[in-house]
mmCIF file of all heavy atoms in Angstrom:
data_model
loop_
_atom_site.group_PDB
_atom_site.id
_atom_site.type_symbol
_atom_site.label_atom_id
_atom_site.label_comp_id
_atom_site.label_asym_id
_atom_site.label_seq_id
_atom_site.Cartn_x
_atom_site.Cartn_y
_atom_site.Cartn_z
ATOM 1 N N SER A 94 -129.243 56.508 48.680
ATOM 2 C CA SER A 94 -128.963 55.511 47.652
ATOM 3 C C SER A 94 -127.463 55.489 47.393
ATOM 4 O O SER A 94 -126.808 56.535 47.463
ATOM 5 C CB SER A 94 -129.719 55.820 46.364
ATOM 6 O OG SER A 94 -129.098 56.894 45.684
ATOM 7 N N PRO A 95 -126.890 54.336 47.102
ATOM 8 C CA PRO A 95 -125.452 54.279 46.829
ATOM 9 C C PRO A 95 -125.027 55.213 45.698
ATOM 10 O O PRO A 95 -124.001 55.872 45.796
ATOM 11 C CB PRO A 95 -125.216 52.814 46.452
ATOM 12 C CG PRO A 95 -126.317 52.075 47.125
ATOM 13 C CD PRO A 95 -127.505 53.009 47.098
ATOM 14 N N ARG A 96 -125.839 55.297 44.653
ATOM 15 C CA ARG A 96 -125.484 56.178 43.527
ATOM 16 C C ARG A 96 -125.337 57.623 43.989
ATOM 17 O O ARG A 96 -124.314 58.253 43.772
ATOM 18 C CB ARG A 96 -126.533 56.098 42.429
ATOM 19 C CG ARG A 96 -126.471 54.839 41.631
ATOM 20 C CD ARG A 96 -127.616 54.794 40.675
ATOM 21 N NE ARG A 96 -128.757 54.283 41.446
ATOM 22 C CZ ARG A 96 -129.791 53.677 40.951
ATOM 23 N NH1 ARG A 96 -129.910 53.545 39.660
ATOM 24 N NH2 ARG A 96 -130.734 53.213 41.709
ATOM 25 N N ALA A 97 -126.375 58.139 44.629
ATOM 26 C CA ALA A 97 -126.361 59.545 45.044
ATOM 27 C C ALA A 97 -125.306 59.801 46.112
ATOM 28 O O ALA A 97 -124.597 60.808 46.064
ATOM 29 C CB ALA A 97 -127.743 59.945 45.556
ATOM 30 N N ALA A 98 -125.197 58.900 47.074
ATOM 31 C CA ALA A 98 -124.245 59.098 48.171
ATOM 32 C C ALA A 98 -122.806 59.093 47.676
ATOM 33 O O ALA A 98 -122.000 59.944 48.068
ATOM 34 C CB ALA A 98 -124.450 58.024 49.236
ATOM 35 N N LEU A 99 -122.475 58.147 46.818
ATOM 36 C CA LEU A 99 -121.098 58.064 46.328
ATOM 37 C C LEU A 99 -120.755 59.244 45.409
ATOM 38 O O LEU A 99 -119.633 59.769 45.460
ATOM 39 C CB LEU A 99 -120.861 56.729 45.618
ATOM 40 C CG LEU A 99 -120.866 55.513 46.546
ATOM 41 C CD1 LEU A 99 -120.886 54.220 45.738
ATOM 42 C CD2 LEU A 99 -119.680 55.539 47.494
ATOM 43 N N VAL A 100 -121.693 59.663 44.590
ATOM 44 C CA VAL A 100 -121.446 60.839 43.744
ATOM 45 C C VAL A 100 -121.223 62.066 44.625
ATOM 46 O O VAL A 100 -120.293 62.840 44.407
ATOM 47 C CB VAL A 100 -122.594 61.068 42.736
ATOM 48 C CG1 VAL A 100 -122.482 62.434 42.071
ATOM 49 C CG2 VAL A 100 -122.583 59.961 41.678
ATOM 50 N N GLU A 101 -122.050 62.238 45.654
ATOM 51 C CA GLU A 101 -121.881 63.376 46.562
ATOM 52 C C GLU A 101 -120.538 63.277 47.297
ATOM 53 O O GLU A 101 -119.810 64.252 47.425
ATOM 54 C CB GLU A 101 -123.039 63.426 47.560
ATOM 55 C CG GLU A 101 -122.986 64.580 48.523
ATOM 56 C CD GLU A 101 -123.079 65.958 47.866
ATOM 57 O OE1 GLU A 101 -123.667 66.081 46.773
ATOM 58 O OE2 GLU A 101 -122.547 66.927 48.462
ATOM 59 N N GLY A 102 -120.205 62.079 47.769
ATOM 60 C CA GLY A 102 -118.940 61.880 48.468
ATOM 61 C C GLY A 102 -117.733 62.138 47.591
ATOM 62 O O GLY A 102 -116.674 62.557 48.078
ATOM 63 N N SER A 103 -117.880 61.921 46.299
ATOM 64 C CA SER A 103 -116.763 62.124 45.377
ATOM 65 C C SER A 103 -116.306 63.581 45.307
ATOM 66 O O SER A 103 -115.203 63.862 44.854
ATOM 67 C CB SER A 103 -117.120 61.621 43.978
ATOM 68 O OG SER A 103 -118.047 62.486 43.331
ATOM 69 N N LYS A 104 -117.147 64.502 45.798
ATOM 70 C CA LYS A 104 -116.756 65.916 45.833
ATOM 71 C C LYS A 104 -115.604 66.150 46.799
ATOM 72 O O LYS A 104 -114.910 67.156 46.703
ATOM 73 C CB LYS A 104 -117.945 66.788 46.253
ATOM 74 C CG LYS A 104 -119.060 66.848 45.251
ATOM 75 C CD LYS A 104 -120.203 67.696 45.785
ATOM 76 C CE LYS A 104 -121.354 67.778 44.805
ATOM 77 N NZ LYS A 104 -122.491 68.556 45.357
ATOM 78 N N HIS A 105 -115.431 65.217 47.737
ATOM 79 C CA HIS A 105 -114.424 65.387 48.785
ATOM 80 C C HIS A 105 -113.431 64.235 48.789
ATOM 81 O O HIS A 105 -112.910 63.868 49.844
ATOM 82 C CB HIS A 105 -115.116 65.484 50.143
ATOM 83 C CG HIS A 105 -116.209 66.497 50.162
ATOM 84 N ND1 HIS A 105 -115.970 67.851 50.164
ATOM 85 C CD2 HIS A 105 -117.552 66.355 50.114
ATOM 86 C CE1 HIS A 105 -117.123 68.496 50.148
ATOM 87 N NE2 HIS A 105 -118.098 67.614 50.113
ATOM 88 N N ALA A 106 -113.172 63.659 47.625
ATOM 89 C CA ALA A 106 -112.266 62.519 47.533
ATOM 90 C C ALA A 106 -111.290 62.709 46.375
ATOM 91 O O ALA A 106 -111.584 63.407 45.408
ATOM 92 C CB ALA A 106 -113.058 61.236 47.331
ATOM 93 N N ALA A 107 -110.144 62.077 46.510
ATOM 94 C CA ALA A 107 -109.173 62.075 45.421
ATOM 95 C C ALA A 107 -109.526 61.001 44.401
ATOM 96 O O ALA A 107 -109.227 61.122 43.221
ATOM 97 C CB ALA A 107 -107.770 61.820 45.963
ATOM 98 N N LEU A 108 -110.208 59.930 44.889
ATOM 99 C CA LEU A 108 -110.507 58.795 44.034
ATOM 100 C C LEU A 108 -111.695 58.046 44.616
ATOM 101 O O LEU A 108 -111.836 57.941 45.836
ATOM 102 C CB LEU A 108 -109.288 57.860 43.979
ATOM 103 C CG LEU A 108 -109.347 56.643 43.070
ATOM 104 C CD1 LEU A 108 -109.405 57.073 41.598
ATOM 105 C CD2 LEU A 108 -108.119 55.764 43.300
ATOM 106 N N LEU A 109 -112.529 57.516 43.733
ATOM 107 C CA LEU A 109 -113.670 56.698 44.115
ATOM 108 C C LEU A 109 -113.485 55.323 43.478
ATOM 109 O O LEU A 109 -113.185 55.232 42.288
ATOM 110 C CB LEU A 109 -114.961 57.351 43.618
ATOM 111 C CG LEU A 109 -116.277 56.663 43.909
ATOM 112 C CD1 LEU A 109 -116.501 56.506 45.400
ATOM 113 C CD2 LEU A 109 -117.422 57.459 43.290
#
Side-chain angles (χ1 to χ4, degrees):
S94 76
R96 285 174 277 204
L99 291 169
V100 168
E101 181 63 27
S103 73
K104 292 178 180 177
H105 309 287
L108 184 66
L109 180 60

